[in-house]
Amino acid sequence: MSTLRISFASNTSSISLTKIAGCTRRADRVIGMHFMNPVPIMKLVEIICGQATSQETLDFTTKTAEELGKVPVTVQDYPGFISNRVLMPMINEAVYCLQEEIIACPRDGDVGAILGLGFPPFRGGPFRFVDQVGAK
């Protein structure tokens, strides 16, 4: 394993890495590693660079994620990154379906997502997911 020293690695899914880096003297060594839950099962880790993150820090972090058995993807420093940015509108739409009585109960929405859309049963559908991770 490489010996690069990272000043700060965050698992945030919504705080700007550029803002975090701006509070340090080594913004080039600040990076995000957003692991998906549950971490032991999910393979994806989003790698997020701040505006000043160096290529060396990105390369080291990507290699480290791979050594951990994860599949890294590099995403832009934007609230929600890619996974949560795509997920939140889907959860909102599920809630709208419940409000408009298109589905009778949250369970029906979750079963539909698992059996009709291929969501993994351990994760559940949008309603169970929100119960697990919380949403605002």
Side-chain angles (χ1 to χ4, degrees), residues 10 12 24 26 31 38 43 48 51 54 64 73 92 94 107 122 125 132:
S10 172
T12 183
T24 74
R26 293 303 311 262
I31 198 157
K43 292 287 191 186
I48 308 97
Q51 289 178 348
S54 70
T64 299
V73 295
N92 286 340
R107 180 190 170 279
F122 73 84
Q132 291 173 346

Side-chain angles (χ1 to χ4, degrees), residues 12-135:
T12 183
S13 62
S14 59
I15 301 171
S16 166
L17 273 295
T18 299
K19 276 190 174 182
I20 291 171
C23 297
T24 74
R25 289 179 286 195
R26 293 303 311 262
D28 61 312
R29 292 188 178 179
V30 174
I31 198 157
M33 292 182 79
H34 181 217
F35 290 85
M36 302 298 122
N37 274 320
V39 175
I41 296 172
M42 302 298 282
K43 292 287 191 186
L44 180 67
V45 60
E46 294 174 316
I47 308 290
I48 308 97
C49 295
Q51 289 178 348
T53 302
S54 70
Q55 186 65 46
E56 181 184 23
T57 299
L58 173 60
D59 293 345
F60 175 82
T61 305
T62 299
K63 183 178 178 191
T64 299
E66 290 168 346
E67 289 173 355
L68 292 171
K70 300 300 180 183
V71 177
V73 295
T74 304
V75 299
Q76 295 297 313
D77 187 12
Y78 190 86
F81 312 128
I82 187 62
S83 298
N84 285 338
R85 185 169 178 183
V86 170
L87 178 66
M88 289 303 123
M90 183 205 62
I91 289 172
N92 286 340
E93 194 60 34
V95 171
Y96 296 147
C97 287
L98 183 62
Q99 287 176 332
E100 296 170 14
E101 299 179 350
I102 295 169
I103 55 175
C105 64
R107 180 190 170 279
D108 290 347
D110 287 344
V111 169
I114 293 166
L115 299 179
L117 301 174
F119 279 48
F122 73 84
R123 166 67 43 100
F127 295 98
R128 181 168 168 216
F129 183 76
V130 166
D131 283 345
Q132 291 173 346
V133 301

